[in-house]
Structure formats: C-alpha cells, structure tokens
Amino acid sequence: MRQIVIVGGGAGGLELATRLGDTLGKSRRAHVTLVDRARTHLWKPLLHEVAAGSINIHSDQLDYLAQARWHHFTFAPGELAGLDRSAKTVRVAAVIDDEGTEILPLRDLPYDSLVISIGSQCNDFGTPGVREHAFKLDNAWEANLFHRRLINACFKANYLADGRVLNLAIVGGGATGVELAAELHNTLRVLAAYGLSKFDPETQLRIRLVEAGPRILAGLPEYLAQATLDTLQKLKVEVLVNERVVSITATHVHTASGKEIPGDFAVWAAGIKCADVLTDLDGLESNKLNQLVVLPTLQTTRDPNIFALGDCSACEWKDARNVPPRAQSAHQMASHLVSTFKRQHAGKLPKPFHYRDFGSLVSLGSYESVGTLMGFATGGSIRVEGLIAKLFYISLYKLHLWALHGFWRMALDTLARMIRTQTAPKVKLH
Ligand SMILES: Cc1cc2nc3c(=O)[nH]c(=O)nc-3n(C[C@H](O)[C@H](O)[C@H](O)COP(=O)(O)OP(=O)(O)OC[C@H]3O[C@@H](n4cnc5c(N)ncnc54)[C@H](O)[C@@H]3O)c2cc1C
C-alpha cells in the first residue's frame, strides 16, 4: 500500500488526514499516517476565545487517536525533526513526558508521499523581551496559560480591593489582536459579575491595542477597519497606531517613538513565521518566513513527492502575492490535495490549485461582527455586519467540524453546545 504521511494535524492537515482516511485508507488503497507534536487538535482561530475564556478548551479539543480510529488513519505523536529525501523517510523527534522520561524514541517514518502542514507561529522579529514577558497565542496551551494568569490577577485585585488597574497591552492590530481585545472586554466583565464584587472592570481594566502601521486590519478594506475602530472606541479600548514596539519589559511595552505603554499583561499578536526546521529540510526551498515554496500543484519546488499546505506553504496567488495564511486557505488546499491523491492513485497527474477568496470576517465578541463576502453572482464583494456577519463567522468553524465529522455529528455537536450554554457559566472561571 502507498504510504501517505501528513505532518501537522491543524486546520488543513487534520481535514486532509480524515478525508484521505475515509477514502483511500478505508478502501486500503493507501496507508495514511498523521504526525503531530500535540495529542489533541483545537481549531486555531478559536485561540483568542480560549485566551479570553469565552470557550473551554476541554470541550472543543479533538483527540487525534480517536479521530484516527474513526477515520481509518494512524496517528504518530512527535515533532518534525528532519527529512531524508533519498531514503524517503521523515524524522520524528522522541516524545518525552513532563518528568523527562522518554516515551517514544526518535523515529524515521517511510513515505511515498509526504505533506507538510505544520502551520505558523507569531513573528516577534527578534524584539527584545517578547520571549520573556509577552504571551503568544500560538497554541491551546499558551492561550490557556494566558487565561489562567489573567483570572488569577483579577482574583488578586478583587482580594486586595485597592483599586489597582490591570493594564493589558495587545501588540498587533490584525484580526487576532482586535478580536482578542473585544473578547477580553466582554469576558472580564462577565467574570466580575460572578462574584468579584471588589474588582470593577470599568475603572480597573485598561486594554490597549498597539499597531505599527497607520491603521488596524491592514489587510482588510478601509471601511471594515473603520467600523471595527468605532466599536473598539465605544468599548474604551485605546488603539495606538504608527507605534512600532521595540521592546517589552515585565511592566511596559516600549515603542520606537519613545512611548512607554503600561502592560502588566502583554500579548504579542503580530506577524507570522514558520518553524526553523523548515529552513533546512534536506534542501527543500523555503522563503524568508521559513515557508516551503510550492508549485501551483502544491508540490514543493524541488521534490514532487513532497507537498506543503496551509500557513507553512508559499503558494503564488495573484499580483505577486501568496495565498494568505488563513483557515479558509488551509481548508481549500486540503480539499485540493484529497483530489490530487485520488488522481495519483488513478495514475493521473496533479492539477493546479486555485485559491478562492470568500471574504473576511471580524468578530468583536458579543458586541459586533463585520466583514466582506466575495464570489457572489456579481463577482464582487458585499459588506455584511451584525447577525449575518456573526452567522457567517460561526459557519467557518462549523464547516471545519463538518469536514472532520460529517454533517450529522456537526449538527448534533451544535445542538449539544446550545444546551450546554444554558447550564454552564458564560465564561471559563478558572
Ligand atoms: C488567534 C487566531 C485567530 C485566527 N482567526 C482566523 C480567522 O478568523 N479566520 C481565518 O481564516 N484564519 C484565522 N487564523 C489563522 C488560521 O488559524 C491559520 O491560518 C490556520 O490555522 C492554518 O492552518 P494550518 O493547517 O496551516 O496550520 P495550523 O492550524 O496552525 O496547524 C498546524 C499543526 O501542526 C502542528 N505542528 C506544529 N509544528 C509541528 C512540528 N514541528 N511537528 C509536528 N507537528 C507540528 C500543530 O500542533 C498543529 O496541529 C487565526 C489564527 C490565530 C492564531
């Protein structure tokens, strides 16, 4: 049987493993293996909600082993550590537990086709102090850690009852930064309502959003940025533009213009970069963001048996721009590779991938949602806001669940969540 190995089970990789398992794996036309350094999957666009406490990671995580069992693929835990293209093996690092005991040794997995889909992480551009003092939302663990520390700080402020102000500084005015600011504004008010009677978010919470460019949401249309800014200003989130952060300390965020922005909690939510392991993966071509450069077929430029998808791939799109690092790109690329592998099995050549931009949506928690949707009959874009925008925003995640579980399980899950929200606190309180 043909060995298809997928490294990285995120927005794109897990959908690919699931759909290949359900087709080629189930009919024993290929053996599909998914490698991931984590044991569970959480859709990355939910991370700011985990950080703010609007969702509980335990109810939204999916166990890779269970998904593998249900969808006819194999799960191999571990981190990508190297590649031997001539031997056609991918190296997976040893798995070590919390106490330093080796659980699984360094392994070389054989492949006929290899897909790299390990995503990206925040790009701190080497800014001093980020590593030591700022939180990042690169994975569920980090987002949950931020949430726990923030809740602890609120409990402390409530106990001391001295009116101390909690300063939150979010670096990066992209979608992640603005969505996090709005979510935090909401959830900390809800938290206070659950009995923190001596902590008043109106006077004791300051949220600042710091952006290096001239406006927030740089990649999105001007009117979306303006609508978002209006909402943030109504919420008294202070938005600072043209402020490039040059360093972060335990208490402040320092900018190139000389501003010292108070930041008991600093979150770095700017830029993306891929893991260093991709810069020298047995000679595969990578760019300055460490993404693997791919052909229109998503095959890497120097090896037709190795594919890259999602954030870690550099795939040319239009106007000298690459396909943007988004969940919808990873989803479309995964769907494309499902048909590529089916074609390959039938002895046919891979077809080029065409990215379709369906628009952009920004959800400001329970306050507002705005966005543009593209690709309608007119071929142009339409502006959506309010409930319609929120429904489209939610539907992105539902589509991901649909791809992973099928329609009926996705629908049942939605119903179960609706029931759960009636019986559980509105925010995660610990
Ligand atoms: C807070 C936040 C909000 C976002 N909101 C949106 C949104 O609203 N809409 C949108 O379209 N996009 C959004 N994005 C971007 C979107 O999440 C990514 O573009 C998308 O998840 C990329 O999918 P992927 O499959 O390439 O990688 P990921 O989903 O990041 O998955 C990568 C997988 O690889 C694994 N992995 C990483 N390194 C290794 C390694 N060395 N070895 C083995 N496994 C590894 C990880 O554990 C993970 O499972 C958001 C991102 C963030 C951080």
Side-chain angles (χ1 to χ4, degrees):
M1 266 198 290
R2 224 182 143 68
Q3 299 285 338
I4 302 175
V5 177
I6 301 160
V7 185
L14 186 56
E15 288 188 13
L16 179 64
T18 301
R19 293 178 58 191
L20 285 179
D22 280 341
T23 49
L24 301 182
K26 191 175 180 186
S27 58
R28 301 187 60 78
R29 285 178 284 166
H31 185 266
V32 182
T33 303
L34 175 71
V35 178
D36 201 290
R37 64 181 176 191
R39 304 281 174 93
T40 53
H41 163 76
L42 182 82
W43 197 54
K44 209 173 172 186
L46 296 178
L47 287 183
H48 65 282
E49 294 183 49
V50 173
S54 14
I55 63 162
N56 187 338
I57 51 169
H58 303 297
S59 53
D60 278 272
Q61 282 186 126
L62 174 61
D63 217 308
Y64 285 122
L65 272 178
Q67 185 72 357
R69 164 102 172 83
W70 294 327
H71 296 277
H72 316 278
F73 64 88
T74 304
F75 173 61
E79 193 166 61
L80 172 67
L83 178 67
D84 184 339
R85 289 201 283 138
S86 53
K88 285 185 136 187
T89 54
V90 59
R91 177 153 290 192
V92 180
V95 177
I96 314 285
D97 74 6
D98 297 341
E99 283 146 6
T101 311
E102 185 177 280
I103 309 292
L104 298 171
L106 186 79
R107 289 147 293 155
D108 287 324
L109 303 182
Y111 66 82
D112 296 301
S113 298
L114 174 67
V115 181
I116 311 273
S117 48
I118 62 169
S120 63
Q121 58 217 24
C122 285
N123 190 351
D124 65 15
F125 307 99
T127 310
V130 176
R131 192 169 291 201
E132 298 83 352
H133 303 296
F135 289 90
K136 294 180 177 175
L137 305 185
D138 283 334
N139 53 51
W141 188 86
E142 289 177 41
N144 200 35
L145 178 71
F146 170 79
H147 175 71
R148 284 207 319 272
R149 296 265 170 89
L150 191 59
I151 296 292
N152 289 348
C154 294
F155 275 126
K156 191 169 177 182
N158 183 62
Y159 172 74
L160 294 173
D162 56 1
R164 63 179 54 200
V165 175
L166 273 183
N167 290 294
L168 308 185
I170 301 168
V171 182
T176 303
V178 300
E179 291 183 343
L180 178 65
E183 285 287 346
L184 284 171
H185 184 278
N186 177 41
T187 54
L188 291 180
R189 273 159 181 75
V190 178
L191 174 77
Y194 274 100
L196 300 191
S197 55
K198 295 188 185 106
F199 173 69
D200 176 14
E202 293 306 328
T203 54
Q204 288 182 262
L205 180 69
R206 293 291 302 273
I207 304 176
R208 296 180 180 85
L209 188 66
V210 190
E211 166 59 40
R215 72 163 168 94
I216 57 168
L217 300 175
L220 304 186
E222 177 85 45
Y223 62 84
L224 275 189
Q226 192 54 51
T228 305
L229 185 63
D230 292 345
T231 307
L232 290 179
Q233 281 171 344
K234 272 187 218 144
L235 301 178
K236 298 203 176 72
V237 172
E238 195 179 330
V239 179
L240 299 107
V241 293
N242 291 315
E243 293 291 353
R244 188 170 58 82
V245 173
V246 290
S247 69
I248 295 185
T249 63
T251 53
H252 285 85
V253 168
H254 301 262
T255 69
S257 71
K259 280 208 171 66
E260 290 189 358
I261 299 161
D264 310 306
F265 283 87
V267 182
W268 190 272
I272 69 142
K273 194 180 177 193
C274 299
D276 289 340
V277 68
L278 299 183
T279 56
D280 187 20
L281 210 49
D282 200 8
L284 293 182
E285 188 186 359
S286 59
N287 65 11
K288 61 180 192 319
L289 295 179
N290 300 348
Q291 291 167 313
L292 295 175
V293 184
V294 294
L295 301 170
T297 53
L298 304 183
Q299 288 163 302
T300 51
T301 47
R302 295 180 188 152
D303 194 324
N305 297 313
I306 302 178
F307 300 76
L309 74 77
D311 286 10
C312 74
S313 66
C315 177
E316 210 175 291
W317 179 32
K318 63 175 185 187
D319 308 329
R321 282 188 295 154
N322 285 339
V323 173
R326 292 192 192 159
Q328 60 168 309
S329 320
H331 167 76
Q332 290 178 36
M333 287 174 163
S335 301
H336 183 80
L337 284 187
V338 172
S339 67
T340 296
F341 286 120
K342 284 186 189 162
R343 288 177 65 79
Q344 192 179 53
H345 190 77
K348 296 180 187 162
L349 290 173
K351 282 186 171 175
F353 166 71
H354 297 291
Y355 173 65
R356 276 190 71 191
D357 185 3
F358 288 107
S360 307
L361 294 158
V362 179
S363 166
L364 300 173
S366 55
Y367 302 113
E368 178 62 296
S369 297
V370 286
T372 51
L373 298 175
M374 326 264 283
F376 286 88
T378 57
S381 67
I382 58 162
R383 179 180 171 162
V384 285
E385 50 192 84
L387 185 63
I388 302 283
K390 185 81 187 171
L391 288 176
F392 272 105
Y393 186 86
I394 294 170
S395 71
L396 282 177
Y397 181 44
K398 299 295 168 198
L399 283 175
H400 179 63
L401 293 180
W402 187 341
L404 296 185
H405 304 304
F407 175 79
W408 289 112
R409 215 177 129 186
M410 180 275 290
L412 273 178
D413 180 83
T414 306
L415 186 64
R417 270 165 216 278
M418 286 162 71
I419 295 168
R420 223 173 19 241
T421 52
Q422 303 306 311
T423 56
K426 301 278 177 257
V427 297
K428 187 164 175 272
L429 303 172
H430 59 275

